[in-house]
Structures are given as C-alpha cells and as structure tokens.
Amino acid sequence: MTAVPLAMPDEAVAHPLTTRVGQITGHLPEETLLDAAQQEAASALAAPHRHGAYLWGPVGRGKSLLAEAYFAALPTRRKRRVHFHDFFLELQSALGARRVPLDRALNRLIGGSRAILFDEFHVHDVADAVYLTATLRHFIDRDVLLIATSNDPPGELMPGLWHEHFVPAIRLIEQHLDVIEVADGTDYRGVGSKIRSATGFSAGSWALSPTRAPSPAIEMTTENGIVLTVRERSAERITAIFEDLCGAPLGTPQYLWLADRTTALTLLDVPDLRTMHRDALLRFCHLIDVLYDRDIRLDVHARALPERPLDTAVPARSLERALSRISALRHD
C-alpha cells in the first residue's frame, strides 16, 4: 500500500514551494501512462510538504520519473538536482583535503538553492551515513526542500554492520519528510530495455565468453593514493578484469573516480552470479550502480547469464536493483 503523507500538525506550516505545485502529470513526458500505484504516489507527492518527500519503491517503478516531474513543477529556479554519491564525495573532499568547516562546505555545495533533488538514494559508505545526518539537519534548519528517491524504506537503509551509524539520519527522514511508497507493479525499466540506446549504459551488452589470458596490468592511482588495476585504457574505453575491480577492496568512491575517466567500461571474466563470493557480488552491485547512474556504457564478458543467486547475504534490494539495471543491456 502506498504511504500517503501524514497530516501535518497545526503548528507545522507547509513549505511555500509545495503549496502551488498542483498536478505534476503535466510535467511528465508525452504519452506517459501511470498505473494505479504510480497515480496514488503522484497525488501524495503533489500534496503540501513541510520539509520534503522521500519516494521509495521497487526497481523500475518510475520513482525518478515522478520525482523529476514534481521537481519541474516547483515554482522556483533556485533548485538543484544532485547526484547522491557525487554530493558526498565532494563534501568529504572539502572537509578532508581543503579542511573547510562542515556548515561552510554544505553552504558552498547547496549555494542559494531552495530545493534539492537526491535521486537514487542508496548508502554504501559509513562516512556518507555520518555526514548525511548533518546534511539533513542543515537542510531542515535552513528550510531547504528535499526530494529523495530510493529503493529502500528509510528504516532499511544501510543494512548490516554499520546500520546503527545511520539511525540518526533515518529518524530525521521519518520525522521531517513525507515517506511515500510506489507500490509493487510492472518493472518498466525491463519493459523499456527493448528499446536500445545508441549511447550510455543501456547501449552495452552481456555476452557469454570463456576466460582468456589477461593483458598486462595497468595501474591507475586516485588522488588519495588508492591503486586501481585495469588491462587496457584509451580516451573512450577502459577494460578491466572482474577480479581487478570487484575482487579488490574497492568501494563507491573509487568506482566514481574511474567513471569520471571513461565513457565505456569492458569487464572481463565475470563469474556466474550464483557462485560469486558475497563481498565480490556486493562490490559488483555497487559498480553497476555507479555506471548506471553516470550512464557509462558497460560491456560484460561473463561465464554465465545474469541469474539471481538462490541464497546470498547481499542486501536484497541492492541485488534486485543491479539485476534490473543489467536487464537493460543487450544479452548475447
């Protein structure tokens, strides 16, 4: 069932940007037809909010589409669509390398924006969890409207060992944002994958290919001194072995760094997902997130088709999100 925004207490005043939104369907692409669950979520999203809305649901359910339409309907030009991982990578850089105080760093990143859209809100890094709490408080204190989309309900963000570090941020989301669910239904990303793109992530492929002798290693070193191993590198494409990127102890910041340096990635010798080690599979899911979000073409040479593991300790929504995105690739 879709979670409709709760009635605001009498002392709570709706954010002025949200009182004049009206219907958001006029801001959707032409000929867009919403199913019943999407229509219910769109109505809840268009209602007045005090500090913003958190839109969540399964993969391919049109959350980004609805959030973008709502964002377009907000009556201000002082608004920014921010990539979640980029925002916190830049924030950590300002706090670390440039030693800027947190409030000043946030002011610089937000600028004069009255509304922020965080699309694809998923947390993999414990540092993001810590800084997100301060960021949410900053938005609330300065009356910056926040719209966020995610596959996870707030209480299930960052499951596992580090979840306790995220509890303060979860409480802020649940107390100050209207949590709206786009209920289960058709995965439109999978339906739309039949229409091939000429560029970007969905222009890529998943092909069955035997293991082959690797090319000599090429080392790429990030600004923080972390070494990434690849096998080929040109202005347009980077080629790496699965073990180079997903077997090594790398994370989202390193994958973002790599994505900034290419428009296409070829990943060789990818094992059967059903037999992958948990840590490698989770890193693979994170890599897919980054490449999809950055619209980097991905060509996979694998030992098997991408089938869902029967039993894995990887967070279910991370895996479902990755598999949905992989479905957009051409399968040979």
Side-chain angles (χ1 to χ4, degrees):
M1 180 179 294
T2 300
V4 179
L6 298 176
M8 292 181 293
D10 293 339
E11 66 271 21
V13 179
H15 194 289
L17 290 180
T18 72
T19 60
R20 292 177 286 149
V21 170
Q23 293 294 323
I24 68 173
T25 52
H27 296 272
L28 293 168
E30 290 186 15
E31 300 181 359
T32 299
L33 296 176
L34 301 180
D35 61 32
Q38 291 171 328
Q39 290 174 7
E40 189 174 351
S43 296
L45 189 59
H49 308 290
R50 180 62 192 94
H51 291 292
Y54 181 97
L55 190 66
W56 75 277
V59 293
R61 292 294 292 130
K63 298 179 297 295
S64 296
L65 188 73
L66 294 174
E68 293 281 6
Y70 177 76
F71 207 59
L74 291 175
T76 181
R77 294 183 179 179
R78 292 167 53 191
K79 52 189 174 183
R80 283 188 61 197
R81 185 189 188 281
V82 182
H83 189 283
F84 183 82
H85 292 306
D86 287 347
F87 182 90
F88 286 99
L89 197 62
E90 189 173 348
L91 179 60
Q92 290 180 41
S93 175
L95 294 172
R98 298 195 292 274
R99 300 187 181 279
V100 177
L102 180 57
D103 274 356
R104 189 186 305 171
L106 286 169
N107 281 331
R108 287 182 180 178
L109 287 174
I110 297 167
S113 299
R114 298 186 64 203
I116 298 288
L117 170 60
F118 273 150
D119 199 15
E120 301 291 355
F121 191 107
H122 38 262
V123 187
H124 305 318
D125 192 304
V126 66
D128 289 350
V130 173
Y131 292 130
L132 182 58
T133 302
T135 301
L136 290 171
R137 289 197 177 109
H138 189 91
F139 288 167
I140 293 164
D141 291 345
R142 286 156 182 78
D143 213 20
V144 176
L145 188 72
L146 174 62
I147 310 301
T149 71
S150 179
N151 295 132
D152 306 295
E156 295 181 20
L157 287 167
M158 198 165 185
L161 180 63
W162 303 109
H163 180 77
E164 64 183 51
H165 293 275
F166 204 72
V167 170
I170 289 172
R171 288 174 178 161
L172 287 173
I173 292 170
E174 292 178 336
Q175 290 170 5
H176 295 282
L177 301 183
D178 290 318
V179 179
I180 302 169
E181 180 186 2
V182 183
D184 283 332
T186 301
D187 179 350
Y188 291 104
R189 183 181 293 149
V191 173
S193 66
K194 297 175 183 178
I195 304 173
R196 303 239 56 88
S197 171
T199 60
F201 184 88
S202 61
S205 62
W206 185 291
L208 299 183
S209 177
T211 302
R212 65 187 191 187
S215 302
I218 301 171
E219 292 187 346
M220 300 175 66
T221 306
T222 72
E223 292 88 345
N224 295 326
I226 297 175
V227 177
L228 282 71
T229 300
V230 301
R231 302 296 165 158
E232 296 176 13
R233 183 184 180 189
S234 69
E236 294 81 23
R237 181 178 291 273
I238 288 174
T239 298
I241 296 173
F242 175 86
E243 192 64 22
D244 293 336
L245 297 185
C246 301
L250 303 176
T252 298
Q254 289 77 52
Y255 297 147
L256 286 166
W257 184 89
L258 190 68
D260 282 341
R261 285 154 180 81
T262 190
T263 58
L265 175 69
T266 296
L267 195 60
L268 304 174
D269 202 17
V270 175
D272 189 331
L273 300 187
R274 295 169 296 184
T275 61
M276 247 182 227
H277 185 272
R278 176 200 180 275
D279 291 343
L281 179 56
L282 187 56
R283 291 189 193 107
F284 182 62
C285 291
H286 295 173
L287 177 62
I288 294 294
D289 282 341
V290 168
L291 298 176
Y292 184 90
D293 293 345
R294 289 296 186 84
D295 204 22
I296 303 296
R297 174 172 175 150
L298 173 64
D299 291 287
V300 174
H301 295 256
R303 301 174 198 166
L305 292 174
E307 296 190 27
R308 181 180 290 99
L310 296 177
D311 183 22
T312 176
V314 172
R317 286 189 176 85
S318 293
L319 182 58
E320 291 299 324
R321 183 170 60 242
L323 289 171
S324 176
R325 291 171 169 183
I326 289 169
S327 73
L329 303 176
R330 182 180 70 254
H331 288 65
D332 297 334

